Each structure stands twice: as C-alpha cells, then as structure tokens.
Amino acid sequence: MSKEKQFVTEITPQGEDFSRWYIDVIKKSELMDYSPVRGCIVFRPDGFEIWEHMKDELDRRFKETGHRNAYFPMLIPESFFQKEKEHVEGFNPELPWVTEAGGEKLEERLAIRPTSETIIGHMYAKWVQSYRDLPLLINQWANVVRWEKRTLPFLRTTEFLWQEGHTAHETEEEARAETDQMLGIYKDFAENFLAIPVIVGQKTPSEKFAGAVDTYSIEAMMKDGRAVQAGTSHYLGTNFAVAFDIKYLDRENTQQFAHTTSWGMTTRMIGALIMVHGDDRGLALPPKVAPTQVVMIPIGPPKTREQVVGRVDE
C-alpha cells in the first residue's frame, strides 16, 4: 500500500522494519520516554497504567492461592552472593555495586538487587524453625537492576519492575507442585487476561536460572517470528536452603533443609503485549489493560434500532 493511501503514515510498517515499528509505536503512543541514565526508561502514565492493570490481576491470583506480599531491601551484601556459587557466577556480569556512602568507603560492597533469592534466603533461615512454619508463601513487588549491554524499552532495560515469588516447603513434591501451580497461573494470565498465546516448557540446563535445579517458562511468539520469555518458575531444590541454612525440625523431630521455589513476571510483558496486538496503525490493546476505554452508544430511530445495535455488537 502506498504511503498516500495509508491511514497512518508516521509509523514504520511492520513488514518494513519491525524493530523500528516498535520504537515508533511506544514513543508516539506516549507509553514511555528515555531517561538520562543508560538503559533506563520513564514509564509515562498510560504505560504505567497498563502495568497497574497487570499487577492488580496477578496480585489477586497470588492471594487466592495463599501468597502474601512483603518487601525486602534492594541493597544486598556481597558475601550473600558468595554462598551459592552457581548463582553468583550467573549474575556477576550484570551486577552494579555500591562501594561508598556519605563520603566513606563501605567495609563490604553492596549489590543493587538483580533478584532476591539471597537476601530472602537469609531471612527465611531466621523465620523457619519447624515444619509448622511451612509452607512459607511470599511475593514481592519491586524493581531490580541488571547492567544489560543491549537494551530495548520494556523488553530489556537496565532497571525494570516485576514481581518475584519466593516459597519454602517441607518436601520436594510440595515445592514442585508450587512451581507447576505458578507456571499455570502465568499461562492462564497471559492467554485469558492479555490474550497472548504461549508455549509452556522447561529451559535447557544452559538457560535455566542460576542456582536452580529446574526452570520452566512460558514463551510468547511475536509478529516478527521471535519468542519472548514471558514468565518463569524455578524449582530451587535445597540449593539455597543449604547455602543460607534454611532448616526446620520435621514431624519426626529431625533437622531437614527446606525445598524452595522462586517465580517472576516483569514489565517485559508490556513490550510483548504491544508486539502481539499492535499493527501498522499503531497501538492495539485488549480492553482489560487499555488505559483508554471506548463505549459505543447506538443512536437511531426505532425502526432501525435492531440493525444499528447489531452493527455495534459486531
């Protein structure tokens, strides 16, 4: 179609340059703006409202399954990362460090939270003493920082928003059931709330979360043929329990290590939403998350009312 006949002329067509189309759409629809910090974006009101709708729906689902919200510090001592070898190796290239404060060097470097398994593991070791304290089902809504080399608004940014669930259980069976349950919640949320079809599967050993026994994900296909990891759920085994001494007295009065899980979904879903539903006219959003709602009011004489209402419904 020639530019003269197109309804929208200031957005690059998807078939011409999909990446350029994406940037055109998120800027012209005023969902975000670039910040002065490399790789970080400002969520403008419409963009943040989309996240609020997602957050409210996920939060409702989490609470229905017995999870409660808490908040943990974003600054994590360096020594915490040394306790789980695979975990620190996986995140070390992305970690930003705080090395001084108040004009003085810190005795120990503090990492800005890339994920919270370590700080939460430390606290769970204090809170879990007996099997009666389990399961421990906690979710956190927070921001995290990962020093990405290549960034793309919403999809991959240096700082992003997310939720991260962290649970502790008596047995492997219970922990794996939790891992499966949360993956199922993500799938249902993506497909029935965001109208994004996903594929559910297990990550390969090289792609699994650093420190996990098994990682599962939902993957969404974008219109350019690329997949976006839309949500992950991890069975951590006793790896973090051993590292942080999360032990409990079982029903036979014996000390055991807890089995833990973690799971998360991020503001990356805003990017996926745009890429799945948008077209050459620009932004298109499912009504459940759209910041602007449109109501159609049929108007006409009684003899044509049925025809008008039928057209409105269509």
Side-chain angles (χ1 to χ4, degrees), residues 138-206:
I138 288 180
N139 176 64
Q140 170 174 239
W141 292 96
N143 63 333
V144 295
V145 174
R146 296 178 185 176
W147 213 255
E148 301 282 0
K149 292 182 178 179
R150 296 182 62 187
T151 61
L152 187 62
F154 296 123
L155 291 169
R156 186 174 293 276
T157 50
T158 299
E159 179 189 17
F160 55 91
L161 307 178
W162 76 349
Q163 58 74 211
E164 50 178 322
H166 297 269
T167 69
H169 306 263
E170 286 186 68
T171 66
E172 176 178 346
E173 182 181 12
E174 289 179 10
R176 286 193 177 277
E178 166 78 3
T179 305
D180 291 342
Q181 172 184 245
M182 302 320 294
L183 192 68
I185 286 177
Y186 287 153
K187 179 181 186 296
D188 188 70
F189 169 77
E191 295 188 335
N192 295 313
F193 191 75
L194 302 181
I196 298 177
V198 295
I199 296 171
V200 179
Q202 182 174 357
K203 288 289 192 180
T204 63
S206 63

Side-chain angles (χ1 to χ4, degrees), residues 6-230:
Q6 288 181 0
F7 182 76
V8 174
T9 59
E10 295 186 2
I11 295 176
T12 305
Q14 291 183 342
E16 182 179 313
D17 187 333
F18 192 82
S19 296
R20 186 69 254 167
W21 168 85
Y22 176 74
I23 296 298
D24 287 347
V25 168
I26 60 176
K27 290 188 69 177
K28 291 183 183 299
S29 56
E30 298 185 347
L31 298 183
M32 53 71 64
D33 204 348
Y34 293 102
S35 84
V37 180
R38 188 193 71 83
C40 296
I41 63 171
V42 175
F43 287 72
R44 298 187 68 171
D46 278 354
F48 194 73
E49 186 171 332
I50 294 171
W51 177 241
E52 287 180 310
H53 291 312
M54 293 182 183
K55 178 178 180 291
D56 291 345
E57 177 64 16
L58 278 172
D59 201 60
R60 180 187 66 79
R61 292 172 183 239
F62 296 159
K63 287 173 179 172
E64 282 182 351
T65 49
H67 301 84
R68 300 186 67 194
N69 289 328
Y71 186 79
F72 298 83
M74 71 177 299
L75 297 176
I76 302 174
E78 181 176 15
S79 57
F80 283 24
F81 287 91
Q82 305 302 329
K83 292 184 178 182
E84 215 294 322
K85 184 171 180 290
E86 187 179 342
H87 188 68
V88 69
E89 288 176 354
F91 278 101
N92 198 48
E94 300 175 341
L95 286 179
W97 296 98
V98 176
T99 58
E100 61 178 81
E104 297 181 1
K105 283 198 171 293
L106 300 178
E107 290 184 11
E108 181 178 9
R109 294 195 302 175
L110 300 173
I112 299 176
R113 171 177 54 215
T115 182
S116 299
E117 277 75 11
T118 57
I119 187 75
I120 290 178
H122 174 82
M123 300 311 300
Y124 279 13
K126 295 175 64 176
W127 298 344
V128 174
Q129 303 299 323
S130 161
Y131 70 89
R132 295 183 180 88
D133 299 320
L134 300 171
L136 191 53
L137 310 174
I138 288 180
N139 176 64
Q140 170 174 239
W141 292 96
N143 63 333
V144 295
V145 174
R146 296 178 185 176
W147 213 255
E148 301 282 0
K149 292 182 178 179
R150 296 182 62 187
T151 61
L152 187 62
F154 296 123
L155 291 169
R156 186 174 293 276
T157 50
T158 299
E159 179 189 17
F160 55 91
L161 307 178
W162 76 349
Q163 58 74 211
E164 50 178 322
H166 297 269
T167 69
H169 306 263
E170 286 186 68
T171 66
E172 176 178 346
E173 182 181 12
E174 289 179 10
R176 286 193 177 277
E178 166 78 3
T179 305
D180 291 342
Q181 172 184 245
M182 302 320 294
L183 192 68
I185 286 177
Y186 287 153
K187 179 181 186 296
D188 188 70
F189 169 77
E191 295 188 335
N192 295 313
F193 191 75
L194 302 181
I196 298 177
V198 295
I199 296 171
V200 179
Q202 182 174 357
K203 288 289 192 180
T204 63
S206 63
E207 293 180 311
K208 71 179 182 179
F209 177 76
V213 175
D214 293 308
T215 289
Y216 304 89
S217 71
I218 58 171
E219 307 282 331
M221 189 68 70
M222 304 298 100
K223 286 184 177 178
D224 64 347
R226 296 183 181 181
V228 166
Q229 180 177 281

Side-chain angles (χ1 to χ4, degrees), residues 298 304-314:
T304 62
R305 181 168 178 79
E306 186 175 335
Q307 182 181 356
V308 172
V309 170
R311 184 60 173 167
V312 167
D313 288 343
E314 182 185 336

